Amino acid sequence: MRHQAIVKTIQLGLRSLWLHKLRSCLTMLGLIFGVGSVVTMLAVGEGASQQAIDKIRKLGATNIIISTEVPKAKQKGRIRMKIFGLTNKDFESIAQTCDRVRHLIPARIINTQSMSKNRLKDIRLIGTKANYFQLIDQPLLTGRTLLDFDLEQRAQVCVISEKIARELLNNSHTIGQEILLKDQYFKVVGIIQSAEQTDQNSFTQPTDVIIPISTMKTLFGDSAIENKGGSTTWEKVELHKIYAQTYSTEDVEQTAKAIETIIEDNHPDKDFNISVPLALLKQTMETRRMFNIVLGAIAGISLLVGGIGIMNIMLANVTERVREIGIRRAIGAKKIHIVGQFLIETVVLSVLGGLIGILCGISLPAIITYFTEMPTLITSGSIILAFGISASIGILFGLYPAYRAASLDPIKALRNE
Amino acid sequence: MKPVIQIQDVCKTYFMGENKVDALKNVSMDFCEGEFWALLGPSGSGKSTLLNMMGCLDSPTSGTCLIDGIDVSTMNDNQLSDLRLSRLGFIFQSFNLIQQLTVAENITLPLFYQGWTEKESQERAIELASLVELEHRTDHLPKELSGGQQQRVAIARALANNPSIILADEPTGALDTKTGDQIMALLTDLNKQGITIIMVTHEPEVADFASHKLHMRDGIIEKIERPECAIKL
Ligand SMILES: Nc1ncnc2c1ncn2[C@@H]1O[C@H](COP(=O)(O)OP(=O)(O)OP(=O)(O)O)[C@@H](O)[C@H]1O
Ligand SMILES: [Mg+2]
């Protein structure tokens, strides 16, 4: 059929849909729900996985994070003195054994407070080495980062984030000022960009203050005393974290395994945990793939139901319009014209339903995000997919009714009352 | 005169389970260009069956039906459609307009299948509507018209493709005598312009508008009346 005839047929299709408004709406409902849920679920799924991927990517794809954990056995007991966690010995063994590691960085972390303008501020004190700055994704804004020299000298210097600088310094971009950390004065030598406020688990925090690990050990020791409900616990932890960065993503998993075997023997209590962002990323991808399959199946079923509904109505439509088909055939319409007419009408119905479904599918995620703060992401791909699906449903489920219409015997069709 | 439709030894048998109905029994007949035929006969005598066969809507059980000398049974479905579209015009007792289309759209339906542009067919619709004196009703729906007006729309539609043959099955059957006469006047006019008309009717008064008459009974031709003489078979 020519372009003009198609346009005309679409017009007629819309008119006959308008003629049976309620019926058309009810028929489209299945498809509206189907397409709407496809777009919505894709948006929610996409948003969630994007968020997860972003978070994991921030941790670095070539990184391995080894953390001290409070061992289970010691968590329960009423033991006052706890000695556990990663040690410098672990650090040395890893450094000597693993050759695919580019940076190996120890870190001690003390959650403490800083005094400023007569107010206490919560900060997180990180004692580490100079190459820590190679690991984090926070560019230097002013001054310098820590140097090996600082570590050798056990210098009382610190690098702080912009956020801390604003809160603690008199003039937020002037380095060289001294600030009080715990109970010691440190000279600010550099200001780095603040880490994004994410959750507790992310390895950089906006309140990070970075000092040489040697200085930390000398000034604060490696034990912490905590008063909790009248009983005092004394914790001794040498290192809280060891960060290992490999040369490439291919080395990550193997190196992680190697590290585990190296330090396992020193820790019968299993008081450490190795986390590999890349593995998490892969796992997230896999979960997402599974999620997509399940989602696709659900959407497929609802679309199938919608399609069957459309086919049902179109069959009824054909039966209702047998006379019209007879008239058209008597006048000289070919079978292909009748097929075209009913097919286009079905596609008009399904595409209309699809478009309304897409509109629902676009607005629903926005509402979800507004009320639940769950991230959603509508990709143009999902909209094109939804549109394509609704058009193909029209064609697929319209073919049989259209074929039925075209294969009617003209003379019998004309006789039909 | 050149024969446009030739019926040669045509039989049509309907099987209804055990029963067998012979609607046409070895009918042979030539219809020539420019003639105005009235097919008469009692109900069930096979008039409609014969007309539908001539309109390529139905096929004979045996025998041949030739249009312009071509055997219809050799044509496929598409060729038959093309033949109907280019040469034939149908008028029915019950008008058979498409209810959801406007008068103009009903009239130009054959042109739609002939691939006319929207603009061309709109002009033609007005031309045809004024021929049947309905130019002011082109945007109406069929249900908003009277029976006579609807039949005039049907005639305009039958004329849209400039057919050389018009097949009418009781065109006045659903109309009163006065409107029936208007329709017949229209058809007579068309016949004068050279269109061959074959019309089924019950009413002798209506048949009198025709130049030729064919009487049928029980699936056979009983009598043929030509303008010069009446031949008794
Ligand atoms: N589709 C069909 N199935 C079975 N029998 C049929 C069919 N069509 C027609 N007949 C039979 O064929 C015979 C001729 O029918 P036809 O419709 O040609 O009569 P007619 O002369 O047009 O009658 P009327 O004046 O009532 O319209 C009738 O006996 C009818 O019952
Ligand atoms: Mg009849």
Side-chain angles (χ1 to χ4, degrees), chain A residues 68-87:
Chain A
T68 288
E69 291 213 324
V70 181
K72 284 218 168 65
K74 293 191 179 168
Q75 235 164 5
K76 281 180 195 155
R78 287 197 147 240
I79 301 161
R80 294 276 168 85
M81 196 174 85
K82 300 182 191 171
I83 304 171
F84 60 94
L86 300 165
T87 59

Side-chain angles (χ1 to χ4, degrees), chain B residues 10-22:
Chain B
V10 161
C11 293
K12 181 75 189 182
T13 312
Y14 291 108
F15 295 95
M16 312 263 287
E18 297 283 288
N19 298 350
K20 193 173 100 171
V21 181
D22 290 311

Side-chain angles (χ1 to χ4, degrees), chain B residues 47-48 169-170 200:
Chain B
K47 307 181 295 292
S48 294
D169 199 342
E170 304 191 38
V200 170

Side-chain angles (χ1 to χ4, degrees), chain A residues 121-191:
Chain A
K121 289 263 181 268
D122 280 327
I123 56 162
R124 196 172 77 146
L125 213 52
I126 298 178
T128 186
K129 287 192 173 166
N131 51 4
Y132 177 76
F133 295 92
Q134 314 274 327
L135 193 78
I136 59 174
D137 188 24
Q138 290 158 266
L140 184 70
L141 299 177
T142 329
R144 62 173 178 86
T145 59
L146 297 183
L147 302 172
D148 290 335
F149 172 80
D150 296 323
L151 279 118
E152 284 161 25
Q153 296 290 309
R154 295 162 200 259
Q156 276 177 257
V157 293
C158 66
V159 173
I160 60 177
S161 73
E162 203 188 354
K163 178 180 149 70
I164 299 283
R166 250 185 281 118
E167 286 171 1
L168 296 187
L169 299 184
N170 295 323
N171 190 338
S172 65
H173 275 85
T174 323
I175 50 167
Q177 300 178 47
E178 296 217 318
I179 57 171
L180 186 66
L181 301 173
K182 225 168 140 124
D183 50 5
Q184 299 283 336
Y185 278 99
F186 281 75
K187 190 168 132 197
V188 178
V189 293
I191 298 170

